[in-house]
Amino acid sequence: MESRAPGAGVAPHRPSRLPGLAPAALALAALAGAGVAAAQPEPPRRISATAAAEIRALQLDKATWSPAERKLDGALVFALKRRRGDALLSRLPALRTGRELARQEAVEVEIVGAVDPPLEEAVAEVGTVLSVHPERSLLRARVPLERLLGLAARPDVRSIRRDLGFEVRKDTTSEGDVAHLASLARATFGVDGSGVAIGVLSNGIDTLAARQATGDLPAVNVLPGQAGVGDEGTAMLEIVHDLAPGATLWYATALGGEAQFAANVAALAAAGCDVIVDDVFYFAEATFQDDLVAQAVNDFTAAGGLYFSSAGNSGNLSDGTSGVWEGDFDSAATDPAILAGRDTHDFGAGSANEITGDSPSFFILQWADPLGGSANDYDLYLLDPTGATVFAAGEAAQDGDDDPLEAISSASFDDAGNLLAIVRFSGAARFLWLSTHRGRLDQATSGQTSGHATAAEAFGVAAVDWSSAGGAGGAFDGSESVETFSSDGPRRIFFASDGTPLTPGDFSSSGGVVRRQPRIAGADGVSTSTPGFGSFFGTSAAAPHVAAVAALVRQQAELTPAGFDQLLAATALDVEAAGFDRDSGHGIAQALAVVAVTAPAGVGGTPPACALDHLTLTGTPNDGPATFRACASITAAAGRFDDVVLVAHDTTTGTPGTIALGDGFASAGPLALRTTAP
């Protein structure tokens, strides 16, 4: 498991905050002109009068920002103020917002707007263009800080935001080969992924050649110029190859920003990949709407591809490791007034939420507004443990054409014990999502997983330690639980990918649609020969296991995402809460059982060929040629099942099964029904 923030490299063990921050009394005296008198210390987890005065000063300043400043990420505005020696910051000596950016000669940014040659030339004149994605209205560049306002003043620029970076959710033969019974599935049914192309996206494949030299990996098709940096991709390729050794392997990096990530998903699809798996998450990915990467995933799955992504390693409510709070904005009327019409959010036990475990990256706030269309302005503040001093502020301007996003960096600090507070600067109440990204919160909820791993037809994958497998020979048997760090669901979505509201007028906990994610669980803690990944933990390891299982099935049946989901629902080992749950989805993927369901008649013998008693098929097409097998019964309700064979027969006892075709059943291709042995 690995995380990176821009310019920070892999997050190391961080020292505690450096001493020397001005005491709250000094901050209060500096703000005496704001008209706030000294107050008795207030209970923890509430914003005190002194912090309220500091927030008031920050918000009064925000109200004076120029049109060009309002297009910038708030941290960029503060970095410019530090360069100018703005008087506001001298009155807030503890405020760290913009400090790191102000020290950089140039900053890496994403420019959103009408990306065309004139804009490219203007950026190139003052900085370095890193990548251009006109189809996504986005340009990445490295630009001197003092030149950003000039670019922001251009009418063809909608916004400029700093690069928040990404998180990689992180022999030998993987122990998951046995734990998932994939080796037995290969031996029993003669499947190895042949004829199936699998694409992997991660950070890099630095030691790919060395792994090929040792025989741990075969030839891999790498998209030109997209090898990336790092080695987690190599470890993922090893896992895929261990379970599906006959599959054709493809690779592309997920680095270079969301637009490049999305472009590489599309490129792998164009190259003919049937299955794609990734383990990268960008901190700026949208929570309540499918954005760039999720849209690329949607295009791939709409064409019938199977897409798998790590659900994340940020904890879950069931294990008491949650670092997220989501729910409706609730005004905390008892806190000191910030400004008229601007109120703080009540988390349920106060307006400040204690950080009980430090974040290695960012505190991120998002709310239910469309991308590029937020007119409701929320701000995020980091306070000291007493709630008296503001340490950092997320204060971008949302005035109708902006993203609903605020971010505070914690990468260089230990923020355990500090507090987070949300202030509504203007606008209506909205459903909120506050994530510490691998940190912990005192007032926490479920709903950590987000981004493209929660795309409608994607399979978000939770992690289960292979060493906890309770079955014979190290196989999973259903007695296991997900890792305590595995991210939970579900994910509520409020907008279609184009920003259209799914429930117009209702942007609260009663609105939107709920996506059941993560969908399935896979093994982690497995061995690979890739340096640094001898014991590969995290949902980064779990996702390629399930992707490889999908390749074994795909060799036998051209299943749509909905079709494969139905088979997982019928065959997965149920763990955690009974039935589909927010931690493991359907449960742990079982290669032997799911391959048995789609094995051609006469293949595999008995009894493995009759591993499933009942199978129900519904909904979207499950395209053949394919066989669906069960011992006792198959029910095929409304839906289309083209060029398929339905076999219901107990091959152990010789007992015929039953097949029921419900109303709405259709088949545009050959259909065979068999309730006796062929």
Side-chain angles (χ1 to χ4, degrees), residues 492-495 502-503 506-514:
R492 189 177 296 272
I493 300 289
F494 287 90
F495 302 94
L502 299 178
T503 53
D506 189 350
F507 305 103
S508 70
S509 54
S510 61
V513 298
V514 176

Side-chain angles (χ1 to χ4, degrees), residues 1-5 7-16 358-361 410-414:
M1 298 174 288
E2 180 180 17
S3 65
R4 184 187 74 91
V10 177
H13 176 72
R14 291 164 307 285
S16 299
D358 181 42
S359 170
S361 53
S410 181
S412 301
F413 298 89
D414 183 352

Side-chain angles (χ1 to χ4, degrees), residues 397-483:
Q398 285 86 25
D399 48 16
D401 60 354
D402 302 285
D403 292 339
L405 171 71
E406 296 291 354
I408 291 175
S409 175
S410 181
S412 301
F413 298 89
D414 183 352
D415 283 310
N418 290 332
L419 308 176
L420 288 169
I422 299 170
V423 175
R424 178 171 57 175
F425 185 83
S426 64
R430 287 291 185 261
F431 191 80
L432 308 175
W433 183 79
L434 173 63
S435 176
T436 62
H437 291 291
R438 303 193 189 184
R440 299 288 181 266
L441 286 173
D442 175 64
Q443 299 171 66
T445 68
S446 60
Q448 178 63 67
T449 192
S450 65
H452 67 276
T454 64
E457 297 293 338
F459 293 85
V461 183
V464 178
D465 189 342
W466 78 270
S467 68
S468 68
F476 291 128
D477 67 355
S479 64
E480 303 80 13
S481 300
V482 301
E483 297 272 25

